[in-house]
Amino acid sequence: MPQSRRKLHIKTFGCQMNAYDSERMAEALAPAGYETTEAMDGADLVILNTCHIREKAAEKVYSQLGRVRKNKQARTAQGRDTMVVVAGCVAQAEGEEIIARAPVVDIVVGPQSLHRLSDLVAKAESGERSVETEFPADDKFTALPKRATGKRQASAFVTVQEGCDKFCTFCVVPYTRGAEYSRPAHAIVAEVERLAGAGVREVTLLGQNVNAYHGDGEDGATWPLARLLRRLAEIPDIARMRFTTSHPRDMDDDLIGLFGDEAKLMPYLHLPYQAGSDHILAAMNRKHTAEEYERLVERIRTARPDIALSTDIIVGFPGETDADFQATLDVAKRVGFAQAYSFKYSARPGTPGAALDGQVPEALKKERLAILQAQLDESRRSFDHATVGRRIPVLFEGKGRKPNQIAGRSPYLQAVYVEGPETLIGYIAEVDISAAGPNSLTGVMNAGFEWREPIQAAV
Ligand code: 5AD
Ligand code: SF4
């Protein structure tokens, strides 16, 4: 009888870049016979792909590891082995400490060392535990296997840039993900062409500081993000492009102009402003004022008046007064965000912000966050309501929650549900939007829809 394949369970925390890394890890382990499973108790190999961005990240990982240990004990009692890997940014930050505190862990591997994973697993099989958190010079992207999606997928993420040199004083990313690095354009083009060949219609380019992209171009010059996007727009089957996350300082004219010139670039931009008061922005080392941010928004809206803007905001940064907080509310009100993510400041050990005077009490942070979120919800609702009555092209990505329903995304990244055939998944069709709910739009399919050859089997 053939040996049954080994099972791999990956639990992913945090950002989309971690989601991308989790997919790459699954691919890297496939040649060793691992296939993924949703159930941890059935897994021979468990990977926690961790996030370190906010408070108690490490503590959460240790409590997860408690669950993993119980699971391993139960499996050991049945005579089954379980290997345990901690990957991601907590792995990077804690390193050896994880093995010392959690003996259940066999491998600790940082985000820059993922291409070493299958070697480390092979070593662990012969009883050798490893901690791999160096920032090696070799490119993990070239060392990882070529991606094959394996499943039909309308939209995909592609990491184009990693790390950050901005050193915002609240943020751990420059320490956990290291210095800025941009993948060469030819590797990204090849990856997107492969995805397009497998039926992908939309790509979202990922990077902690994606608009600082400066990779080697196909012509030998250094390409900024706008140049890369223009090149990717030439791939015929790619109908939609997005990118995230952008820093206000790196929005150059070319990139702004592209929102007006390039129909494949979707009218959605995630542009964190973090705070509305200039002295808080200075203490955060954001390198821009509130007015500069708002002027930038005006320029972007001149290029693409209907753009949906999204943002990140932190309340309760050290020294934040009521007036500072009011300034944050005022910026949000004036800009009118379509989407926003807001957080209570959490002091991250090792970052300059953690050592500042004037830490804001937890109860006050909570109060401010509730006020801000109520205002942001209102703003999102008004953006969504403004799309009711419009005819909007939707890229269908999967089945809906109800029978005969399919789900997709508007150009503004809103979730849209309509009655329609599953055969439309992977296609763009026009929808007359009839209602806006709390988290999604609903509508009626318009008869005219884009026609394409049926999607090829995944390569
Ligand atoms: N505390 C609160 N929020 C934070 N973020 C990053 N670091 C912290 C922190 N220490 C938020 C920022 C960033 C988003 C990804 O997470 O708003 O843009
Ligand atoms: Fe962190 Fe600032 Fe870099 Fe964003 S730009 S990853 S918030 S340091």
Side-chain angles (χ1 to χ4, degrees):
M1 244 176 64
Q3 196 200 348
S4 70
R5 287 172 70 80
R6 294 181 290 182
K7 298 282 187 199
L8 163 67
H9 175 77
I10 308 184
K11 200 163 165 56
T12 308
F13 303 85
C15 67
Q16 290 151 337
M17 300 188 61
N18 265 11
Y20 179 88
D21 281 349
S22 290
E23 279 184 27
R24 299 293 79 68
M25 286 192 273
E27 286 159 14
L29 291 168
Y34 284 99
E35 61 185 30
T36 54
T37 170
E38 294 292 310
M40 191 202 288
D41 58 358
D44 307 291
L45 174 53
V46 174
I47 301 179
L48 302 183
N49 193 9
T50 61
C51 170
H52 201 238
I53 198 91
R54 274 173 293 276
E55 218 157 8
K56 303 201 184 99
E59 292 319 308
K60 282 185 201 146
V61 171
Y62 289 116
S63 86
Q64 277 286 335
L65 284 171
R67 281 190 49 214
V68 171
R69 183 170 46 83
K70 286 205 189 101
N71 173 62
K72 177 168 175 157
Q73 283 165 348
R75 284 172 51 90
T76 308
Q78 299 162 359
R80 296 187 293 168
D81 287 339
T82 317
M83 196 186 297
V84 180
V85 177
V86 178
C89 294
V90 174
Q92 188 65 44
E94 297 271 301
E96 298 279 351
E97 179 75 14
I98 296 179
I99 297 253
R101 270 185 67 178
V104 68
V105 176
D106 300 287
I107 298 168
V108 175
V109 59
Q112 309 304 331
S113 313
L114 294 185
H115 54 291
R116 302 263 302 113
L117 186 60
S118 50
D119 289 351
L120 301 178
V121 166
K123 274 202 215 162
E125 277 165 354
S126 53
E128 194 181 329
R129 299 165 91 200
S130 344
V131 176
E132 184 86 39
T133 54
E134 292 303 302
F135 287 157
D138 48 347
D139 173 11
K140 79 168 186 191
F141 294 101
T142 45
L144 283 170
K146 299 286 175 259
R147 97 189 235 159
T149 63
K151 56 182 183 230
R152 198 171 97 176
Q153 192 186 351
S155 179
F157 294 118
V158 176
T159 294
V160 301
Q161 177 278 334
E162 275 202 53
C164 183
D165 295 340
K166 292 283 189 295
F167 289 93
C168 299
T169 55
F170 51 80
C171 187
V172 289
V173 164
Y175 311 97
T176 53
R177 290 267 174 171
E180 246 174 56
Y181 164 80
S182 297
R183 293 176 69 191
H186 71 84
I188 298 163
V189 171
E191 181 166 341
V192 174
E193 277 173 347
R194 262 196 310 278
L195 289 167
V200 166
R201 309 298 315 284
E202 172 182 271
V203 285
T204 302
L205 307 187
L206 296 180
Q208 260 97 23
N209 201 345
V210 72
N211 58 342
Y213 177 84
H214 57 282
D216 293 339
E218 290 171 319
D219 55 4
T222 300
W223 283 8
L225 187 64
R227 180 74 190 80
L228 177 67
L229 286 162
R230 265 199 213 100
R231 172 67 183 87
L232 296 176
E234 289 170 11
I235 300 172
D237 277 343
I238 294 299
R240 292 183 165 194
M241 304 184 300
R242 306 177 187 276
F243 57 89
T244 197
T245 289
S246 298
H247 192 289
R249 286 279 296 222
D250 295 318
M251 285 305 296
D252 61 44
D253 287 340
D254 217 17
L255 190 57
I256 294 172
L258 211 60
F259 280 104
D261 302 341
E262 178 47 69
K264 291 186 177 184
L265 183 59
M266 290 294 100
Y268 183 97
L269 177 65
H270 184 64
L271 194 66
Y273 77 96
Q274 311 294 5
S277 143
D278 288 344
H279 85 92
I280 295 291
L281 285 167
M284 286 177 162
N285 191 31
R286 288 291 291 175
K287 303 185 177 84
H288 62 80
T289 63
E291 196 190 329
E292 282 163 350
Y293 181 88
E294 288 184 60
R295 242 190 273 130
L296 175 60
V297 164
E298 269 173 38
R299 283 162 57 211
I300 296 165
R301 285 205 165 122
T302 303
R304 183 77 205 224
D306 63 335
I307 198 161
L309 290 168
S310 159
T311 200
D312 289 339
I313 305 168
I314 297 176
V315 298
F317 188 78
E320 186 187 74
T321 63
D322 285 345
D324 294 327
F325 174 59
Q326 186 59 47
T328 295
L329 291 173
D330 293 345
V331 171
K333 184 138 259 159
R334 283 193 295 267
V335 173
F337 290 100
Q339 180 67 261
Y341 303 87
S342 49
F343 313 97
K344 289 182 288 182
Y345 171 68
S346 111
R348 312 302 293 114
T351 60
L356 290 176
D357 290 337
Q359 299 286 331
V360 175
E362 197 54 32
L364 187 54
K365 286 190 216 170
K366 204 170 157 195
E367 197 180 302
R368 287 180 181 166
L369 187 66
I371 295 168
L372 174 64
Q373 289 187 336
Q375 183 187 303
L376 293 170
D377 267 0
E378 188 52 46
S379 178
R380 184 168 51 86
R381 267 199 298 274
S382 95
F383 184 90
D384 287 347
H385 279 283
T387 55
V388 175
R390 285 185 56 192
R391 176 168 291 176
I392 287 179
V394 173
L395 171 60
F396 288 99
E397 296 178 2
K399 287 193 239 176
R401 290 170 291 210
K402 298 182 188 156
N404 303 325
Q405 203 184 42
I406 51 175
R409 295 267 170 190
S410 77
Y412 312 108
L413 208 60
Q414 297 146 303
V416 182
Y417 291 87
V418 292
E419 268 190 21
E422 262 178 57
T423 46
L424 277 184
I425 294 170
Y427 289 81
I428 295 169
E430 291 196 324
V431 172
D432 293 320
I433 304 296
S434 49
N439 298 308
S440 61
L441 306 176
T442 45
V444 180
M445 189 81 71
N446 176 37
F449 64 87
E450 178 204 41
W451 192 89
R452 288 174 71 238
E453 291 295 329
I455 290 170
Q456 307 284 306
V459 288

